[in-house]
Amino acid sequence: MQDFPLVSVICTAYNHEEFIEEALESVLLQSYLNIELIVIDNGSDDETAHKIHNWLHRQKGSATIISIFRKQSLPYCTSFNVAFLQSQGKYLIDLSGDDALLPEHVSQSVQRLSHSGNAGFCFSDVWLEKEGSPSKTFFKRDDTGRLLESVREGDRYCDLVSRHCLMSVSLVIDAQKFRDEGGYDESLSYEDFDIMVRLSRKFPVVFSNHIGVKKKILPDSFSAKQYFPKSTSMLNSTLIVCRKIQAMNQTKAENQALLNRVNFESKHALASSNFEVAKGFLNLARELGEKGPLHQIFRLWAKWRLDFSWFYLRMTKD
């Protein structure tokens, strides 16, 4: 199987009873055959674990599958790193229990990586499904599926630091590079922003022009609570990652990219009335040279703790 290196898919489920079987089936339905699946129930209190047990019973002998059932939840990054220690693949996929891989995703991503030289990861397009809204792809495409925008490869460090420019659910990662980086940072409440900038700091990234993952946009998902009013661990983690980026940066352009991100996060932290972490972002912005009038307004907003979170919550729900 030298031409088809092993790919490890680590699927983590937490209260995903409605979606977990589709996620697991999507791994077995891959056209690429050399896959190991590690499935984790991370302490669910619904029927997720029961559904995984039943699914595993039906799959005996059909694939390489390792199962982990936790009685109590671990922080996501810790849970994933523990599972990663059991993996053997050359490439790595982090699959959420409420998402699904499309059949050619592994095959096309591995093909692109195998011709890439030293890439840290491959990314692709993603179907986004939100209840009550038409499904759409992350990158713009016409009715025939043809890509309508240019998607850059290579050095994407500044882009990833500055803005949300790709979907992390599509990543197929070089497992050895992930291992050398120490895996996910277990001090963080979420993983993708940090690992993408750390890998792209050292390695180029590549794009495969296919739609690889079906992602559900759920109102109660962890990522949907990133700017939840007055209570979010995600913003604290984002500030930690931004401080790490500050230490990694080497040029004025990289600092400007970080400032773009910090200004964005400051605005949303203030609008959601997360004032303490907003002060942290504003202090970092000042260290990066921000002195404009909007920054001064933001500092007064943080000082006076003006609460517009009710309006922000209404606007972001629409």
Side-chain angles (χ1 to χ4, degrees):
M1 301 292 283
Q2 185 175 357
D3 294 334
F4 300 95
L6 181 65
V7 176
S8 299
V9 179
I10 300 179
C11 178
T12 304
Y14 177 74
N15 289 351
H16 289 149
E17 61 181 4
E18 184 178 351
F19 311 109
I20 185 58
E21 290 179 289
E22 180 186 8
L24 298 176
E25 283 294 325
S26 77
V27 179
L28 295 192
L29 291 173
Q30 291 297 298
S31 62
Y32 192 91
L33 299 179
N34 197 19
I35 296 175
E36 67 172 6
L37 169 62
I38 302 176
V39 55
I40 308 163
D41 177 69
N42 196 22
S44 299
D45 53 21
D46 64 358
E47 290 298 306
T48 300
H50 178 70
K51 291 199 170 186
I52 294 173
H53 275 297
N54 287 344
W55 184 86
L56 290 169
H57 181 73
R58 299 194 300 270
Q59 307 305 324
K60 286 184 176 178
S62 63
T64 301
I65 303 174
I66 299 169
S67 57
I68 301 171
F69 293 90
R70 306 194 195 284
K71 292 184 178 180
Q72 293 185 327
S73 300
L74 288 178
Y76 187 88
C77 295
T78 302
S79 174
F80 189 92
N81 285 346
V82 170
F84 176 68
L85 292 175
Q86 300 185 48
S87 69
Q88 301 293 322
K90 180 176 181 179
Y91 300 117
L92 174 67
I93 294 175
D94 181 351
L95 175 65
S96 174
D98 57 355
D99 295 334
L101 307 179
L102 296 179
E104 296 297 322
H105 180 53
V106 175
S107 178
Q108 293 193 41
S109 299
V110 169
Q111 183 179 30
R112 185 69 189 89
L113 279 166
S114 67
H115 293 92
S116 70
N118 196 36
F121 60 80
C122 177
F123 67 98
S124 62
D125 206 352
V126 174
W127 272 114
L128 303 173
E129 296 187 345
K130 184 177 182 180
E131 187 175 354
S133 302
S135 297
K136 62 180 182 178
T137 54
F138 181 77
F139 298 114
K140 293 180 181 179
R141 295 178 180 270
D142 64 19
D143 292 339
T144 69
R146 182 173 63 90
L147 197 64
L148 295 177
E149 59 180 295
S150 176
V151 180
R152 292 198 314 106
E153 301 180 292
D155 182 358
R156 295 298 306 271
Y157 176 73
C158 281
D159 296 334
L160 287 163
V161 168
S162 179
R163 60 190 175 85
H164 179 50
C165 62
L166 60 88
M167 292 295 293
S168 61
V169 296
S170 72
L171 300 191
V172 179
I173 301 171
D174 184 306
Q176 186 58 53
K177 292 179 174 61
F178 181 84
R179 186 176 293 109
D180 292 343
E181 282 297 308
Y184 289 150
D185 182 342
E186 296 180 13
S187 72
L188 304 174
S189 63
Y190 73 103
E191 75 294 342
D192 50 356
F193 180 32
D194 177 62
I195 195 63
M196 286 193 296
V197 294
R198 283 195 282 140
L199 287 171
S200 64
R201 170 78 281 180
K202 297 180 179 179
F203 307 103
V205 303
V206 292
F207 172 66
S208 178
N209 185 11
H210 71 274
I211 304 171
V213 182
K214 181 170 65 173
K215 178 172 179 57
K216 298 175 182 66
I217 310 298
L218 302 173
D220 58 347
S221 68
F222 190 63
S223 60
K225 300 174 182 177
Q226 182 169 5
Y227 304 110
F228 197 77
K230 303 177 185 178
S231 176
T232 173
S233 63
M234 293 188 73
L235 272 170
N236 291 322
S237 288
T238 301
L239 179 57
I240 292 170
V241 177
C242 287
R243 285 290 184 185
K244 292 170 69 174
I245 292 168
Q246 183 186 26
M248 288 190 289
N249 280 356
Q250 300 172 2
T251 68
K252 290 182 178 179
E254 291 167 359
N255 281 338
Q256 182 59 53
L258 177 57
L259 183 57
N260 294 342
R261 168 74 68 162
V262 169
N263 285 336
F264 176 87
E265 300 296 347
S266 299
K267 177 178 68 175
H268 285 276
L270 289 167
S272 59
S273 296
N274 288 286
F275 295 114
E276 290 306 312
V277 70
K279 290 178 182 177
F281 283 117
L282 291 169
N283 289 338
L284 177 53
R286 184 166 56 187
E287 292 172 28
L288 292 167
E290 182 62 82
K291 299 178 181 179
L294 186 59
H295 176 74
Q296 301 306 322
I297 292 171
F298 281 177
R299 296 197 75 85
L300 290 174
W301 188 352
K303 179 180 178 180
W304 294 337
R305 303 176 75 89
L306 301 174
D307 186 354
F308 299 110
S309 60
W310 56 272
F311 180 71
Y312 177 79
L313 190 60
R314 179 184 298 176
M315 292 297 293
T316 53
K317 280 187 174 180
D318 293 338

